Amino acid sequence: VQLQASGGGLVQAGGSLRLSCAASGSISNLNSLGWYRQAPGKQRELVAVIVIGGGTHYADSAKGRHTISKDSAKNTVTLQMNSLKPEDTAVYYCNAILYASGTWKTYWGLGTQVTVSS
């Protein structure tokens, strides 16, 4: 499984950014696609996840500001981030979880930097 992320960059506080991630390879047992982030000196944390055939889940920090969506035809997940704050500054990672025959497998894309200036 390969995850190709795009988007990110530098934006002023209050601005918006869109992150996209395209999944390819053996993804027939895809269970979920999501975005995590890791700020310097902090642990990686969930931002938002979309479960295939199910719903979405957001971190409290993302609720009301960010929206995750999936294009099933393209196996792409997009995170629209609005009202960005300096504390949103982090490296953002695309994540895919597959499930088959009782086995879970997790894949990560290369991170993309999001910097929000005050």
Side-chain angles (χ1 to χ4, degrees), residues 5-25:
S6 61
L10 173 64
V11 66
Q12 289 187 333
S16 299
L17 283 174
R18 176 175 293 183
L19 305 180
S20 292
C21 175
S24 61

Side-chain angles (χ1 to χ4, degrees), residues 32-104:
S32 66
L33 285 170
W35 287 95
Y36 287 68
R37 69 184 184 185
Q38 187 167 17
K42 294 187 177 181
Q43 290 187 331
R44 192 171 297 187
E45 61 180 5
L46 173 72
V47 178
V49 63
I50 187 164
V51 179
I52 308 306
T56 57
H57 176 73
Y58 295 89
D60 288 343
S61 61
K63 289 179 181 177
R65 297 191 299 132
H66 304 342
T67 302
I68 190 169
S69 59
K70 181 180 180 295
D71 183 332
S72 298
K74 298 180 180 179
N75 289 316
T76 299
V77 62
T78 298
L79 182 67
Q80 177 67 43
M81 302 189 293
N82 300 320
S83 302
L84 284 163
K85 305 174 183 179
E87 50 264 44
D88 292 318
T89 295
V91 177
Y92 284 68
Y93 296 90
C94 181
N95 168 273
I97 297 178
L98 278 67
Y99 177 76
S101 302
T103 301
W104 296 90

